[in-house]
Amino acid sequence: MDASQTSDVPTLLVKIFGKDRPGITAGLFDTLAAYSVDVVDIEQVVTRGRIVLCALVTEPPKGLEGDLRATVHSWAGSMKMQAEIISGIGDNRPRGLGRSLVTVLGHPLTSEATAAIASRITGTGGNIDRIFRLAKYPVTAVEFAVSGVETEPLRTALVTEAARLGVDVAVVAAGLYRRAQRLVVMDVDSTLIQDEVIELFAAHAGCEDEVAEVTAAAMRGELDFEQSLHARVALLEGLDASVVDKVRSEVRLTPGARTLIRTLKRLGYQVGVVSGGFTQVTDDLKERLGLDFAQANTLEIVDGKLTGRVTGEIVDRAGKARLLRRFAAEAGVPLSQTVAIGDGANDLDMLNAAGLGVAFNAKPVVREAAHTAVNFPFLDTVLYLLGVTREEVEAADTLDVD
């Protein structure tokens, strides 16, 4: 019988639980096969060596149900397991409209936080259909499949709850796009790398304090980004161009950055960076990391010296969002399939324009405005927001990739 025709026919829910070992699933269905039942649904979970196997099957021919029950219990006993069989009508109830995937990251993930997130989902009218662990380190990451509530109101409710609980929560619409080709675009300073590139240059020019003063003025709102950029770069006038290689060697990638990019590339994603920093560094990062796109400001160099000016298009807050759209068009990826990652107010337009905007160890104003936030110092945790498991990352790392 086709499972689509079981909505009003008698069915049996057969549940087996106990210590996991090879052959349990095959053994159960071998036992059921003798009664000519059809499989309507199967669910199996193994946690710390304990298995829960559920099989929803059609009722056996008349007069055989009692024998089926006895045989299944006998088989389970022989396997030192327990069995439960429940009669009912039809298949599982249809899932509600509005389907989302809720990813929760915690270090640790406490029972209190899990209870609060689950309660909040229920409070929005949602139903938790399935829970799956994506990773156990460097953070615990679990994914809830939720139905019955639209993605946006669910996201709004859970983001507020997450901030209170000290966990990170991402809510995205479920669908085929989760595994479709996507474009990921990152900020550079304090996101892809641990450093602020202008400060590395300033250290060689001996003007760290002056650069810091200009930065502070910009943060107070006394200067916009372009003004502060020109003011800080002007302090580098006369610096020998050989310092570029020194700064490149000083750049420290954020922990997990290589893993994130390597895994994304193996999944077929395209990856780019946009930066208010300088092409002298981002071009090097593009080559070293195999990035598809990179755009930043360019320090002008004349006769082997920095002139204290930048050339070309200025990459500021609006420019980052503009470049995200440009990269998406060049990659042939809809904007809804883009992911943007950043930490500062300069990244907000880009984060809001992307299909998923991730605030990475960001300032409060950025965390509040982004779709989701990651507050752990490992950039590869972003993979879990995309539904990639730790096991998949590690398996990919064992492959020989050209």
Side-chain angles (χ1 to χ4, degrees):
M1 181 181 294
D2 192 304
S4 65
Q5 300 174 331
T6 62
S7 60
D8 57 357
V9 302
T11 52
L12 298 177
L13 174 61
V14 181
K15 178 180 177 182
I16 304 296
F17 48 98
K19 185 178 179 181
D20 188 31
R21 63 179 68 86
I24 290 174
T25 305
L28 173 62
F29 286 98
D30 278 343
T31 302
L32 293 172
Y35 297 91
S36 301
V37 298
D38 295 330
V39 177
V40 178
D41 196 6
I42 308 173
E43 194 81 44
Q44 179 174 305
V45 176
V46 178
T47 304
R48 211 181 67 179
R50 309 293 290 185
I51 186 173
V52 178
L53 170 59
C54 294
L56 186 65
V57 298
T58 56
E59 189 179 63
K62 189 174 182 180
L64 293 182
E65 181 179 334
D67 191 47
L68 179 151
R69 287 174 177 269
T71 302
V72 169
H73 280 286
S74 176
W75 169 81
S78 72
M79 300 293 289
K80 296 183 179 180
M81 304 188 75
Q82 293 178 277
E84 182 180 6
I85 303 175
I86 304 171
S87 299
I89 299 295
D91 197 352
N92 303 311
R93 64 177 183 177
R95 295 179 65 192
L97 297 177
R99 299 181 184 180
S100 303
L101 297 171
V102 177
T103 306
V104 182
L105 309 180
H107 185 64
L109 180 59
T110 66
S111 297
E112 176 191 8
T114 306
I117 293 296
S119 177
R120 197 67 167 170
I121 291 171
T122 303
T124 63
N127 184 73
I128 299 171
D129 301 314
R130 184 175 292 113
I131 304 174
F132 178 73
R133 187 178 72 180
L134 296 167
K136 60 183 179 181
Y137 69 91
V139 299
T140 300
V142 295
E143 182 179 271
F144 296 76
V146 177
S147 62
V149 60
E150 295 299 328
T151 299
E152 284 304 321
L154 181 61
R155 177 185 289 149
T156 300
L158 292 182
V159 165
T160 302
E161 194 72 14
R164 182 182 70 81
L165 296 167
V167 297
D168 294 335
V169 174
V171 183
V172 298
L176 291 176
Y177 82 91
R178 191 76 181 279
R179 291 290 185 178
Q181 185 186 54
R182 302 173 81 176
L183 168 68
V184 178
V185 176
M186 289 175 276
D187 173 44
V188 176
D189 292 10
S190 298
T191 299
L192 178 62
I193 67 174
Q194 301 177 60
D195 311 282
E196 295 288 330
V197 170
I198 185 67
E199 294 177 1
L200 297 179
F201 277 100
H204 289 282
C207 59
E208 301 102 313
D209 291 342
E210 293 90 335
V211 165
E213 287 177 9
V214 175
T215 301
M219 293 182 67
R220 292 193 299 267
E222 297 169 9
L223 298 172
D224 64 22
F225 175 81
E226 185 170 350
Q227 290 173 319
S228 69
L229 174 67
H230 288 304
R232 286 178 290 184
V233 171
L235 296 169
L236 306 179
E237 183 180 0
L239 193 62
D240 194 275
S242 63
V243 79
V244 169
D245 288 334
K246 296 177 182 177
V247 167
R248 287 175 174 173
S249 68
E250 292 166 351
V251 165
R252 301 167 299 162
L253 292 174
T254 298
R258 286 187 183 277
T259 300
L260 172 67
I261 294 169
R262 182 173 62 244
T263 304
L264 291 173
K265 296 293 290 180
R266 288 173 177 171
L267 288 171
Y269 289 21
Q270 298 189 60
V271 185
V273 293
V274 291
S275 176
F278 309 111
T279 56
Q280 281 82 359
V281 170
T282 57
D283 287 351
D284 180 62
L285 289 170
K286 180 182 180 182
E287 182 177 353
R288 285 167 51 196
L289 299 174
L291 302 174
D292 299 284
F293 305 97
Q295 188 68 47
N297 301 299
T298 299
L299 293 169
E300 185 181 60
I301 298 176
V302 176
D303 296 330
K305 302 287 184 180
L306 273 66
T307 65
R309 295 186 295 271
V310 292
T311 62
E313 178 184 4
I314 297 297
V315 179
D316 55 9
R317 175 169 169 168
K320 288 186 174 184
R322 185 170 60 250
L323 287 165
L324 172 70
R325 293 185 175 91
R326 182 191 303 173
F327 293 167
E330 293 178 12
V333 174
L335 201 59
S336 61
Q337 294 295 97
T338 62
V339 180
I341 310 169
D343 73 297
N346 242 25
D347 301 313
L348 277 174
D349 289 3
M350 175 177 72
L351 297 180
N352 289 329
L356 178 64
V358 181
F360 180 72
N361 290 321
K363 300 167 182 65
V365 65
V366 181
R367 291 200 303 269
E368 292 168 6
H371 297 134
T372 188
V374 170
N375 294 302
F376 301 101
F378 308 103
L379 194 56
D380 54 338
T381 55
V382 173
L383 289 168
Y384 310 141
L385 307 182
L386 306 179
V388 180
T389 69
R390 191 73 203 178
E391 288 79 5
E392 289 172 324
V393 173
E394 292 172 351
D397 284 342
T398 66
L399 300 175
D400 292 326
V401 179
D402 294 333

